[in-house]
Amino acid sequence: MGMTIAEKILAAHSGHQEVVAGQLIECATDWVLCHEITTPAALKMLEDRGMDTVFNPDQIVAVPDHSVPAMNIKAAKMYQTLKAWVQKNGIKHFYDVGRGGIAHVVLENTGLMKPGQTLVSGDSHTCNAGALGAFATGVGSTDLAGAIYAGKVWFKVPETMLIRVTGQTNAGVTPKDIVLEVIKQIGADGANYMVMEWVGDYIDHLDMEGRFTLTNMAIEAGGKTGVVAVDDTTRKYMSERGVHPDQYTEYTSDPDATYKVVVEIDASKVEPTIAYPHIPSNGKVAGSDKIAVTHAYVGSCTNGRISDLRDVARILKGRKVAENVQMIVVPATQAIWKQAAQEGLLEIFVDAGASVSYPSCGACLGMHSGVLGPDDVCISSSNRNFVGRMGDPSAQIYLASPATVAASAVAGHLADPREYNAAD
């Protein structure tokens, strides 16, 4: 019987010749990604049991990102806990405040995480790294504790959903619109505990930043992770980070691999999409309703990359953010922040009336730097629009591409980015 990419990776990391969906395995973890929110709870479990050691300090990556710079004393203590643990255990892959940013985007750019490897983290958007042809998934603090201590995690081998995207998108349509369309079609639990494997000529022509956006939002469809097979685009991306093909293993799905579901998407028929409150599957065509917005947020591990910031700059250049809108732009990492500055993007944002913030998770999960108040209406390039996700439970959150967020910020209401070509 043939196997999928995910099944092959899990088999290789569990000592099996082959695995099948539903099988329970003990899986070795190549990498454990830690941040300051979920890691302290895992460390407390280990300390309480006299197990406060790490399986291999060279296979742990630590990045404080959710509540930094610390917005209160509690956040400062969580940061201190993570940093003290890093120093105690000699963890060298530590990307401190001022040297990192959002953990998933930091990791994807380091060259540490490679195709064919496994990654766990106490964060649901760990699936982001699946774009590298790897198996990456979020776990709870208990499993995180086990991974830190033993370098192993128990998994039930997930079924796989094949998503075939064919054709090419029209102007104004981005990978964010593609993934929102998929979630709209299958539902917020349509891929429950499945691997979402992306294929098709659209994927073949998509750059790595776009692929990361697709795999990042697997969890918003209930998925265990997302994955894209390694190709020349992946190899070039790894080579640019000093990693050559003989340093990793490439896996491809067998022709007779078993898929639970096959989803077909014609990219040419996808339009700019906005997910209405309060669920990512509630998608509608951008501009269908001219609902007034009070906030516009660009950032997160889904859409805070340099290509996203360029999309925003193209729309904001020569224009102003509407007076009724507070716009915040958050480059995902320090390196992206610096590149955006060098390209003149930050100046465009500031001239338009937007605020540029420090790289962090920030307002995406309602922790700081743009938390929503009662009855605020925000259009965001992030990944979740649940009740209370970005602040007050009465606030309304609309999810969209960075381009759609920028167009809406200028218009002062939900808008279609196709109506906002680059200003003269």
Side-chain angles (χ1 to χ4, degrees):
M1 181 184 296
M3 290 191 291
T4 64
I5 296 172
E7 288 166 350
K8 288 182 178 182
I9 295 173
L10 293 178
H13 285 76
S14 61
H16 292 85
Q17 286 292 107
E18 63 177 41
V19 296
V20 296
Q23 180 178 345
L24 293 177
I25 60 170
E26 186 179 59
C27 180
T29 55
D30 291 303
W31 294 99
V32 180
L33 177 63
C34 298
H35 60 63
E36 81 283 14
I37 299 299
T38 56
T39 306
L43 300 182
K44 181 68 163 53
M45 294 179 200
L46 294 174
E47 291 169 1
D48 290 347
R49 291 160 178 79
M51 300 165 62
D52 53 338
T53 58
V54 301
F55 79 104
N56 186 339
D58 292 341
Q59 290 178 247
I60 293 176
V61 180
V63 189
D65 64 353
H66 278 56
S67 59
V68 294
M71 70 284 194
N72 55 36
I73 295 172
K74 182 179 180 180
K77 289 180 178 178
M78 289 190 292
Y79 165 79
Q80 288 178 330
T81 297
L82 180 70
K83 188 168 184 176
W85 172 71
V86 163
Q87 293 173 334
K88 173 186 174 183
N89 289 282
I91 295 169
K92 65 180 181 181
H93 302 304
F94 178 51
Y95 297 87
D96 203 351
V97 177
R99 300 175 179 85
I102 301 175
H104 306 301
V105 187
V106 169
L107 180 62
E108 75 189 37
N109 280 290
T110 60
L112 295 173
M113 184 70 192
K114 301 173 182 65
Q117 293 189 329
T118 56
L119 165 72
V120 297
S121 175
D123 189 292
S124 58
H125 289 105
T126 306
C127 48
N128 182 81
L132 294 170
F135 187 90
T137 191
V139 296
S141 290
T142 302
D143 284 325
L144 178 62
I148 290 170
Y149 178 75
K152 298 178 181 179
V153 178
W154 282 96
F155 286 132
K156 181 175 78 171
V157 177
E159 297 173 309
T160 297
M161 168 185 287
L162 186 72
I163 306 170
R164 184 180 292 109
V165 188
T166 55
Q168 294 305 307
T169 54
N170 294 309
V173 179
T174 72
K176 180 63 165 289
D177 300 301
I178 295 290
V179 71
L180 288 178
E181 175 64 23
V182 170
I183 296 172
K184 172 187 172 183
Q185 289 194 22
I186 69 175
D189 60 353
N192 195 31
Y193 203 81
M194 295 184 203
V195 175
M196 298 173 72
E197 182 179 333
W198 296 83
V199 301
D201 61 284
Y202 170 79
I203 305 299
D204 295 340
H205 292 92
L206 189 60
D207 63 20
M208 286 305 302
E209 295 203 349
R211 296 179 185 187
F212 284 122
T213 294
L214 298 180
T215 56
N216 179 277
M217 288 192 69
I219 188 65
E220 273 68 50
K224 184 68 172 176
T225 190
V227 68
V228 178
V230 175
D231 61 7
D232 285 343
T233 299
T234 324
R235 297 181 196 104
K236 181 175 182 291
Y237 182 87
M238 297 307 299
S239 178
E240 290 170 347
R241 285 150 184 80
V243 181
H244 302 290
D246 60 356
Q247 295 176 265
Y248 54 81
T249 303
E250 298 181 14
Y251 294 96
T252 57
S253 293
D254 293 325
D256 59 341
T258 299
Y259 293 98
K260 177 69 173 178
V261 183
V262 177
V263 177
E264 302 280 356
I265 300 292
D266 183 345
S268 68
K269 294 182 179 179
V270 176
E271 299 187 74
T273 301
I274 299 176
Y276 282 45
H278 292 284
I279 192 166
S281 58
N282 191 17
K284 298 183 181 181
V285 175
S288 298
D289 305 298
K290 299 192 184 309
I291 297 171
V293 299
T294 60
H295 290 67
Y297 187 84
V298 175
S300 83
C301 55
T302 309
N303 282 122
R305 300 176 179 86
I306 191 65
S307 58
D308 300 314
L309 302 187
R310 290 169 183 156
D311 285 348
V312 172
R314 276 193 288 270
I315 290 177
L316 291 188
K317 187 174 182 178
R319 295 188 171 101
K320 294 290 185 182
V321 173
E323 290 188 2
N324 61 303
V325 177
Q326 177 190 119
M327 185 176 190
I328 300 174
V329 180
V330 187
T333 68
Q334 286 286 95
I336 294 170
W337 198 105
K338 182 178 179 180
Q339 185 174 353
Q342 292 171 336
E343 293 184 14
L345 307 185
L346 303 189
E347 184 176 356
I348 292 172
F349 302 152
V350 172
D351 287 347
S355 174
V356 180
S357 185
Y358 164 82
S360 75
C361 298
C364 173
L365 70 162
M367 297 204 79
H368 63 101
S369 301
V371 174
L372 302 182
D375 301 317
D376 278 340
V377 180
C378 179
I379 183 163
S380 173
S381 74
S382 55
N383 40 56
R384 289 182 179 160
N385 58 350
F386 307 142
V387 172
R389 168 70 178 182
M390 295 182 71
D392 192 89
S394 68
Q396 305 284 305
I397 306 166
Y398 295 81
L399 302 179
S401 71
T404 301
V405 172
S408 301
V410 171
H413 56 72
L414 301 184
D416 187 334
R418 294 172 295 190
E419 298 175 4
Y420 290 81
N421 295 321
D424 294 332

